[in-house]
Amino acid sequence: MDKFGFTLSKARVIDYEANDRTIVDYIIEREPSLKLCIECGCCTATCTTGNFTDFSLREIHILLKRGENEQVRQKIKKCMLCGKCILVCPRGVNTRNVVSLARQAFRNTEGYEF
Amino acid sequence: MNFDPFVIPFNIGLYFILIYAVVRSVIWFRELSRPDKLRLQRGFFGRAFGQSLKEIFLESLIHRKILKSNPRLGYMHMSLAFGWFLLILFGTIEADIFGERHLNPPDRAIFFRFFNPDHGKTFFESSYAFMMDLILAFILSGLVLAVIKRFSSKVVGMKKTTKLKPLDKVALTSLWLIFPSRLIAESLTSGAYGTGSFLTGSLGEWFASFLPANELAYPFWWLYSLSLGTFFVLLPLTRYLHIPTELFLIFMRNSGIRTGDRPGTYSEVEVHSCSSCGMCIDVCQLGFSAGINTIQATYLMKGIRNREELHDIAHNCLMCGRCDQICPVGIEISPIRMIVRRTEDIENVYESRWKGYLRSRINVVTPRQETGTSYDFLPVRKQEKTDVLYFAGCMTHLTPSIKKAMVRILDASGLKWSFMDEDGGVCCGRPLMLEGNDREARELINHNSDLIWKSGARTLVTSCPICYKVFRESYYLDLEVLHHSQFIKNLIDEGLVDLNYLQKRVTYHTPCELGRRSGVYDEPLEVIKHVASLEATGYDNENSLCCGGSLGNIMLSREKRQKIAEDVTARLTACSPDSLITACPLCKKTLAQATSTRVMDIAELAVEAIAAVPEVKKTRRGVSKKKVIGETTATI
Ligand code: SF4
Ligand code: SF4
Ligand code: SF4
Ligand code: SF4
């Protein structure tokens, strides 16, 4: 592959084997507005936590939908629930509840340490 | 006549409820924490005792608070409670004076007319009977209101009434039957003997004209006794338990016991003291602006009592405090809701003894599995020494005009100040606490406290009421915490800034966290009055509305928030002011999206009114500002 100058960025690979939608389904059932997210990144741009780390709520949303829960589990605790992202989101996603429900989902789902 | 079997149901009920009250009080007392036990003992033998008696009279009998805010509803409660009390009191006296002997058992007083049917012939006797009739009429008028309220709550001036569970319905029916059956029983007996006063006498005469009054009276005396007995026996299982518990609550409150942040006896007593009067339903904006009618305080209390699923009730609330403010029983609703939010991981297992009559609560803590701290990424930061430390807060960073205004005001003041979170900063922790995540919030609090201590400042100024509240209540700080409205007020008083009078008509929206939650009402008003003409809106001070943006509610959708905000702005701009002033960046942002009127923060208003800034002060600040930026950017 290298010969042709193409590489497959690992971040773009969706591993269907590992796609586990239990967490995202748990969230969407209780907070349907997650479906409205267009991954624009406004929330990430304003994020208080993002000021100190590479934490990105947009990334969290993408990972959730891809079912890459292990990565979400590691990152989700960093959010401070400050609520800036709700105010800037152009789609009206109730972002704080998404974070809170994700934490709750990890706590309530077998097989995750949280 | 000395005895008749019909008094048995009443006596069973009465002695049952008395024994129950004693046992319940002993259990509650035993579950109190040690300091609270001492407080209660001191309260019982100290000055608080008189205060409690006075409060019991004014609130449990007269229902003064309900009477004040809703006279018709208040009359209904008063006539039932106070009337019943008078009936028992004067009934006992009547039996004592006119009965065969003194110190009669209670059933003698309650069924006096049955045992003394020909009583009421002499003048003194008949005037006493007149008084008793008057009291009965007073109760019955309230009862009529109560019955009407059940079917159409508008009559008593309420928009909604509370929903009932089946057992409550049985208890309610027996309660409703008590006084009409007494009326008919007394009337029939009076009719047969030609006694009784204006009510029972005339009604009895009329009955006797076409009915066999004496024979018919007996079943009604049975009905009267049965409904009393049933009501007493069911009382502990229904919401009517609030009648005796409220007395307990008043004693505990006057002894200085408060809800606190863990489940305990006091919150349990509070939960059982809710009379389901429904006043919290009427003031809740989620109800009247957003159409959410399942989460109000009365449903929270009912949910806790009946051990229902509480997640949505606990979380779908703005935490605006409007219901805390109105509750006539004085239940600390928001602290109780916070307890529910906080203890979600704690399973409340109830042991049910005697089918729910005496429940004892066991807290089973399901330990959370910890995976290290959440915010270990926070850097150690440096903070220069200063006099005044300014913390803008997350929300202020989203409303840069407020931030700019505050920077100008601080510059103009000539004080030595420093901007703590100029480049973003860390959240104050209150949003996490509002979700019940106290442990996580503590990490942020420690981080911020560290910076504040390092600064050596004597005053901490913040632009956000949410931060203000948490700085004051949950940080351990040794300095004065001011909201910027208070700070500006101080600057004006000390002549550190000169503000012009603007030709402006404005209205003011009191932020919940600043007003009801922190009790800061006067300073913002004084600042506004200093620079503009302030119009009253009818939603001032304690009666203020919530903008709808509250971080206290994590579940509310944007559409509903918008509805609330539109409703609020419509009410606050009804007199078409030039600007709508508020003192919170989150309120400003929420309200501005819902109105065409200009929404301004109080700091922006003050900046508009700032007179010429003296040159000297400007330069002094110019130097120190560079230093602040230099240091903070270097360390992060
Ligand atoms: S701002 Fe809203 S729409 Fe954009 S990525 Fe964040 S949540 Fe999604
Ligand atoms: S609530 Fe969380 S994700 Fe949103 S801005 Fe604050 S820290 Fe970032
Ligand atoms: S919580 Fe207070 S205001 Fe609400 S129904 Fe109960 S007693 Fe009335
Ligand atoms: S705190 Fe406000 S939103 Fe919550 S129940 Fe009370 S009045 Fe309604």
Side-chain angles (χ1 to χ4, degrees):
Chain A
M1 284 266 251
D2 280 356
K3 278 185 192 155
F4 298 97
F6 294 121
T7 49
L8 208 48
S9 155
K10 196 153 180 284
R12 295 189 181 200
V13 180
I14 301 179
D15 182 358
Y16 285 103
E17 294 292 306
N19 188 335
D20 169 10
R21 289 190 57 91
T22 44
I23 302 291
V24 75
D25 287 345
Y26 181 97
I27 301 171
I28 287 178
E29 194 192 322
R30 292 162 180 81
E31 186 54 66
S33 71
L34 173 58
K35 287 189 288 194
L36 299 176
C37 172
I38 50 170
E39 276 101 40
C40 66
C42 292
C43 48
T44 302
T46 195
C47 181
T48 308
T49 298
N51 205 9
F52 301 98
T53 63
D54 59 358
F55 175 80
S56 155
L57 194 58
R58 168 177 170 273
E59 188 191 12
I60 295 269
H61 286 183
I62 297 173
L63 290 172
L64 273 173
K65 288 179 188 167
R66 283 203 204 156
E68 299 188 19
N69 297 339
E70 182 48 32
Q71 287 198 54
V72 179
R73 186 189 67 81
Q74 287 167 10
K75 294 173 190 231
I76 197 83
K77 277 193 151 190
K78 295 181 179 177
C79 165
M80 300 178 190
L81 287 183
C82 70
K84 280 168 95 177
C85 44
I86 293 189
L87 293 178
V88 297
C89 175
R91 299 285 286 162
V93 179
N94 193 357
T95 47
R96 286 177 80 225
N97 205 19
V98 171
V99 173
S100 173
L101 284 169
R103 292 175 179 174
Q104 199 178 310
F106 284 118
R107 273 203 297 275
N108 297 346
T109 312
E110 289 291 317
Y112 290 104
E113 280 216 345
F114 198 76
Chain B
M1 267 186 284
N2 281 321
F3 175 79
D4 195 285
F6 87 87
V7 301
I8 294 174
F10 164 75
N11 277 327
I12 294 177
L14 180 72
Y15 292 111
F16 171 78
I17 195 71
L18 288 178
I19 295 170
Y20 179 80
V22 172
V23 174
R24 197 82 197 82
S25 315
V26 169
I27 293 180
W28 267 335
F29 185 76
R30 264 210 332 238
E31 282 177 1
L32 275 177
S33 68
R34 254 191 82 76
D36 280 350
K37 269 184 198 159
L38 283 175
R39 281 197 190 101
L40 193 62
Q41 280 165 6
R42 233 177 288 143
F44 249 100
F45 301 108
R47 224 174 336 128
F49 190 75
Q51 180 62 31
S52 303
L53 286 186
K54 189 175 142 208
E55 208 179 314
I56 286 172
F57 181 75
L58 284 176
E59 301 304 342
S60 304
L61 293 179
I62 308 280
H63 289 93
R64 187 183 48 161
K65 279 196 201 123
I66 310 186
L67 212 50
K68 251 196 226 156
S69 56
N70 181 345
R72 266 174 295 176
L73 184 69
Y75 178 80
M76 182 193 105
H77 282 268
M78 177 176 76
S79 64
L80 287 172
F82 190 50
W84 201 355
F85 170 75
L86 288 179
L87 203 64
I88 295 170
L89 180 71
F90 287 106
T92 313
I93 299 175
E94 188 180 35
D96 199 57
I97 307 176
F98 304 114
E100 294 146 26
R101 25 189 195 109
H102 295 298
L103 294 176
N104 301 284
D107 55 14
R108 278 296 148 139
I110 300 293
F111 307 113
F112 181 73
R113 192 71 61 89
F114 178 83
F115 292 110
N116 306 275
D118 48 1
H119 170 79
K121 294 253 161 60
T122 70
F123 176 72
F124 182 56
E125 282 175 358
S126 69
S127 10
Y128 207 99
F130 176 81
M131 189 176 69
M132 294 299 283
D133 267 16
L134 203 60
I135 299 173
L136 189 59
F138 176 52
I139 301 180
L140 285 168
S141 65
L143 189 65
V144 170
L145 273 181
V147 176
I148 297 174
K149 172 183 170 236
R150 202 36 47 214
F151 297 109
S152 160
S153 49
K154 292 217 175 56
V155 180
V156 285
M158 299 207 19
K159 292 179 206 112
K160 301 235 160 46
T161 192
T162 42
K163 299 174 206 123
L164 294 179
K165 60 173 183 166
L167 216 52
D168 280 334
K169 283 189 186 148
V170 181
L172 184 67
T173 315
S174 56
L175 177 65
W176 281 0
L177 276 177
I178 293 174
F179 299 103
S181 61
R182 173 173 174 135
L183 173 72
I184 296 175
E186 285 200 334
S187 300
L188 287 168
T189 306
S190 308
Y193 288 86
T195 53
S197 188
F198 73 99
L199 187 65
T200 51
S202 6
L203 197 62
E205 219 171 282
W206 181 66
F207 278 148
S209 66
F210 64 96
L211 289 171
N214 206 14
E215 289 73 36
L216 267 181
Y218 194 59
F220 276 98
W221 283 110
W222 261 99
L223 183 66
Y224 180 35
S225 167
L226 265 173
S227 42
L228 276 169
T230 316
F231 180 68
F232 287 151
V233 171
L234 288 184
L235 187 96
L237 296 182
T238 62
R239 65 197 183 102
Y240 297 101
L241 186 59
H242 80 85
I243 301 169
T245 20
E246 197 186 338
L247 311 183
F248 212 70
L249 176 70
I250 291 176
F251 274 117
M252 291 174 82
R253 185 171 49 225
N254 281 327
S255 309
I257 301 175
R258 293 291 174 267
T259 308
D261 49 13
R262 320 233 133 253
T265 298
Y266 189 69
S267 55
E268 209 168 306
V269 171
E270 282 182 298
V271 164
H272 283 100
S273 299
C274 166
S275 63
S276 310
C277 68
M279 289 177 72
C280 49
I281 303 181
D282 276 2
V283 294
C284 182
Q285 286 170 269
L286 284 182
F288 68 73
S289 296
I292 300 173
N293 290 310
T294 47
I295 57 85
Q296 282 74 10
T298 179
Y299 302 124
L300 176 70
M301 304 302 149
K302 185 170 145 246
I304 300 176
R305 283 199 303 266
N306 303 339
R307 279 107 67 216
E308 290 159 10
E309 164 59 36
L310 289 172
H311 180 273
D312 288 8
I313 297 183
H315 287 269
N316 199 353
C317 159
L318 297 164
M319 284 290 173
C320 66
R322 280 171 62 81
C323 49
D324 294 65
Q325 187 71 38
I326 198 88
C327 177
V329 181
I331 300 173
E332 297 178 285
I333 297 160
S334 297
I336 293 179
R337 212 184 284 263
M338 280 313 305
I339 289 178
V340 179
R341 287 186 181 185
R342 242 182 249 124
T343 51
E344 249 168 4
D345 285 351
I346 299 176
E347 230 176 299
N348 274 327
V349 179
Y350 287 91
E351 249 184 9
S352 167
R353 266 180 264 154
W354 302 329
K355 288 208 187 308
Y357 271 97
L358 290 174
R359 294 196 304 261
S360 62
R361 190 192 55 241
I362 314 171
N363 288 335
V364 178
V365 184
T366 24
R368 261 202 233 171
Q369 286 159 326
E370 305 292 352
T371 45
T373 51
S374 331
Y375 307 112
D376 45 12
F377 56 82
L378 291 176
V380 179
R381 294 195 288 171
K382 270 205 191 123
Q383 172 64 49
E384 65 160 2
K385 292 270 176 220
T386 186
D387 291 341
V388 177
L389 192 61
Y390 175 58
F391 183 83
C394 301
M395 291 300 153
T396 316
H397 283 289
L398 278 182
T399 44
S401 52
I402 301 180
K403 193 168 66 176
K404 274 187 212 141
M406 276 314 290
V407 169
R408 267 207 70 194
I409 291 171
L410 282 155
D411 280 348
S413 74
L415 297 165
K416 187 177 177 216
W417 72 279
S418 163
F419 200 145
M420 179 170 152
D421 58 341
E422 181 147 30
D423 38 20
V426 171
C427 176
C428 64
R430 178 141 167 90
L432 277 167
M433 289 179 115
L434 279 169
E435 271 316 293
N437 301 330
D438 287 24
R439 191 189 59 82
E440 290 83 351
R442 203 33 77 188
E443 287 182 46
L444 304 186
I445 291 178
N446 289 344
H447 177 89
N448 284 326
S449 300
D450 188 40
L451 279 184
I452 298 170
W453 279 104
K454 273 186 204 163
S455 76
R458 274 168 295 152
T459 310
L460 175 64
V461 180
T462 176
S463 284
C464 178
I466 305 170
C467 309
Y468 173 70
K469 184 173 167 68
V470 76
F471 280 146
R472 281 214 328 187
E473 292 174 9
S474 309
Y475 279 60
Y476 303 108
L477 298 172
D478 185 25
L479 48 67
E480 179 188 35
V481 180
L482 293 178
H483 179 253
H484 70 229
S485 59
Q486 297 172 306
F487 180 67
I488 296 172
K489 156 100 190 352
N490 289 355
L491 293 182
I492 297 173
D493 287 353
E494 287 164 26
L496 286 169
V497 289
D498 292 323
L499 300 184
N500 293 324
Y501 190 78
L502 305 165
Q503 295 302 325
K504 257 188 173 217
R505 269 175 61 244
V506 301
T507 51
Y508 174 58
H509 164 76
T510 310
C512 305
E513 295 277 298
L514 192 62
R516 273 186 302 269
R517 289 294 183 223
S518 303
V520 178
Y521 293 111
D522 299 340
E523 293 94 331
L525 291 178
E526 277 169 41
V527 173
I528 296 173
K529 282 183 196 150
H530 192 80
V531 297
S533 128
L534 179 68
E535 306 257 333
T537 56
Y539 298 96
D540 306 311
N541 294 347
E542 287 88 354
N543 197 20
S544 62
L545 296 163
C546 169
C547 67
S550 166
L551 290 179
N553 191 329
I554 203 167
M555 292 176 69
L556 200 60
S557 68
R558 174 175 291 187
E559 294 73 37
K560 302 222 155 137
R561 286 187 194 275
Q562 186 70 13
K563 268 195 195 156
I564 296 175
E566 278 164 14
D567 201 5
V568 172
T569 46
R571 287 165 201 244
L572 296 183
T573 57
C575 61
S576 23
D578 298 323
S579 305
L580 173 55
I581 309 296
T582 183
C584 167
L586 182 54
C587 292
K588 179 187 161 173
K589 197 129 181 106
T590 315
L591 295 176
Q593 283 165 359
T595 178
S596 52
T597 309
R598 183 164 178 218
V599 182
M600 291 170 85
D601 187 89
I602 198 162
E604 295 170 79
L605 184 74
V607 156
E608 259 194 43
I610 274 194
V613 183
E615 272 309 304
V616 216
K617 290 178 181 172
K618 254 189 195 164
T619 44
R620 202 165 83 201
R621 162 67 191 140
V623 177
S624 74
K625 180 163 182 179
K626 251 188 222 132
K627 222 174 100 204
V628 179
I629 297 173
E631 267 196 27
T632 36
T633 39
T635 47
I636 288 173

